[in-house]
């Protein structure tokens, strides 16, 4: 199915994060058919096209975080005139910790159609390989460069229940893991995913303390960190007294209400009973 529908379109296309064979057939077609290619790095874009055996005939425009706002109008104009604009970043999905977000907002405001050619994602690949719960997760991207800002961000995430995904650079990985161990606890489970889908792919899993020791050596390559969410805080006896008293007000005997609530909450029946007596 063609991406041309009479009106123009902007296509956010995922590119391989390592193995070039992960490029979709749709990406290959779009590289050859697009009227304009907005690329985070034009040299990498041409290198990718060459590896895929694609002859790029479109105009290629440098489009990165430093000029995204300034060049949005030029990109929108091509689509508004009926053309197909392909937006690609160095690796993975545009707008996910990469340029693209501002363009999508501008296109929506201008009434220009935006779609996606989905594909590789370092964040989701790392999550899948981490061995950590994936039913609920959040993506936090790169940590702040300044230690104070980084530590404040991690402190805010200390009670996050969802699995967390981060990106990090090789020269900051040791400090980042040490800061996570301090904020989340040295025994919090995590995984560091290095060089995903590439020849020297490596997945390190274990408590943060072990990963801190591992990162003390020289670490190279593209890195993703996946950290388990916080365990739910155990309920306090005092917080359960109101439920026990509500049950007794509805006619249940105090001992029976205490027994049922203590079993459900996993607290001491005796302590809960005594606290309910004091509250009465």
């Amino acid at each position: 199915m063609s991406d041309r529908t009479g009106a123009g379109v902007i296509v956010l296309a995922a590119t391989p994060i390592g193995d070039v064979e992960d490029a979709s057939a749709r990406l290959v077609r779009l590289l050859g058919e697009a009227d304009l290619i907005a690329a985070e790095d034009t040299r990498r874009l041409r290198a990718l096209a060459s590896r895929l055996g694609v002859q790029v005939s479109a105009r290629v425009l440098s489009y990165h975080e430093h000029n995204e706002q300034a060049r949005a109008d030029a990109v929108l104009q091509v689509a508004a005139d009926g053309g197909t604009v392909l937006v690609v970043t160095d690796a993975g999905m545009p707008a996910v910790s990469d340029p693209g977000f501002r363009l999508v907002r501008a296109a929506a405001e201008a009434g220009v159609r935006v779609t996606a050619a989905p594909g590789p994602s370092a964040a989701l690949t790392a999550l899948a390989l981490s061995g950590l719960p994936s039913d609920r997760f959040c993506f936090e991207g790169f940590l702040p460069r300044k230690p104070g800002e980084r530590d404040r961000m991690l402190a805010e995430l200390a009670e996050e229940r969802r699995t967390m995904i981060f990106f990090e650079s090789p020269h900051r990985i040791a400090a980042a893991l040490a800061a996570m161990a301090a904020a989340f606890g040295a025994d919090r489970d995590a995984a560091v995913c290095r060089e995903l889908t590439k020849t020297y792919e490596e997945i390190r899993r274990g408590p943060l303390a072990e990963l801190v020791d591992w990162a003390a050596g020289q670490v190279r390559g593209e890195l993703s960190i996946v950290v388990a969410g916080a365990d739910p805080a155990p309920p306090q006896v005092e917080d359960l007294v109101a439920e026990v008293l509500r049950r007794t007000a509805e006619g249940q005997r105090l001992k029976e209400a205490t027994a049922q609530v203590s079993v459900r909450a996993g607290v001491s029946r005796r302590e809960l009973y005594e606290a309910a007596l004091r509250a009465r």
Side-chain angles (χ1 to χ4, degrees):
M1 173 179 161
S2 173
D3 287 300
R4 293 183 181 275
T5 58
V9 63
I10 296 172
V11 186
L12 306 183
T15 54
I17 60 176
D19 194 327
V20 72
E21 293 182 1
D22 291 335
S24 69
R26 189 173 174 209
L27 171 64
V28 172
R29 176 176 63 78
L30 287 165
L31 285 170
E33 292 183 357
D35 298 297
L36 173 68
I37 300 177
E40 183 179 12
D41 186 317
T42 59
R43 289 174 298 180
R44 290 195 180 189
L45 177 277
R46 293 191 184 279
L48 174 63
S50 176
R51 293 172 69 190
L52 293 173
V54 178
Q55 180 66 43
V56 174
S57 58
R59 180 164 68 98
V60 178
L61 179 71
S62 173
Y63 192 80
H64 48 73
E65 63 175 327
H66 300 298
N67 68 10
E68 184 178 4
Q69 193 69 47
R71 294 196 167 176
D73 287 344
V75 173
L76 290 173
Q77 190 60 54
V78 173
D81 290 342
T84 294
V85 178
L86 182 65
V87 179
V88 294
T89 58
D90 291 348
M93 192 71 195
V96 180
S97 197
D98 272 325
F101 162 72
R102 293 182 181 86
L103 181 60
V104 173
R105 290 280 297 265
E109 292 173 1
V112 173
R113 180 180 170 228
V114 182
T115 188
S121 164
L124 293 181
T125 302
L127 175 66
L129 294 177
S130 70
L132 296 172
S134 57
D135 53 335
R136 299 181 69 238
F137 61 90
C138 58
F139 174 63
E140 297 296 334
F142 284 94
L143 290 169
R145 292 175 180 270
K146 296 181 179 179
E149 295 177 6
R150 176 200 63 203
D151 294 346
R152 282 193 291 274
M153 176 179 174
L154 292 175
E156 292 174 358
L157 292 170
E159 300 304 319
E160 173 59 62
R161 299 274 297 278
R162 296 169 294 180
T163 298
M164 296 168 282
I165 308 167
F166 302 86
F167 288 160
E168 196 48 275
S169 63
H171 66 277
R172 292 200 302 268
I173 184 68
L177 289 170
M180 288 178 180
F184 302 154
D187 59 349
R188 182 81 70 92
D189 286 333
V192 177
C193 303
R194 188 178 73 84
E195 294 289 87
L196 287 170
T197 78
K198 298 178 183 177
T199 302
Y200 298 104
E201 176 180 280
E202 180 181 17
I203 315 295
R204 288 275 179 167
R205 306 177 183 88
L208 281 167
E210 291 183 10
L211 296 177
V212 169
D213 291 340
W214 165 77
Q218 190 174 30
V219 179
R220 297 179 179 178
E222 301 288 336
L223 297 160
S224 300
I225 306 171
V226 187
V227 184
D231 290 330
Q236 300 299 308
V237 168
E238 292 74 15
D239 299 332
L240 301 171
V241 169
E243 182 179 352
V244 172
L245 296 182
R246 177 184 59 79
R247 287 171 177 250
T248 58
E250 294 173 352
Q252 197 170 11
R253 294 174 58 227
L254 180 60
K255 287 188 177 181
E256 182 183 2
T258 301
Q260 292 178 358
V261 173
S262 65
V263 169
R264 177 183 59 78
V267 300
S268 165
R269 184 192 320 188
R270 179 179 60 80
E271 291 182 11
L272 180 57
Y273 181 77
E274 292 176 353
L277 281 177
R278 290 194 299 270
R280 294 178 75 182

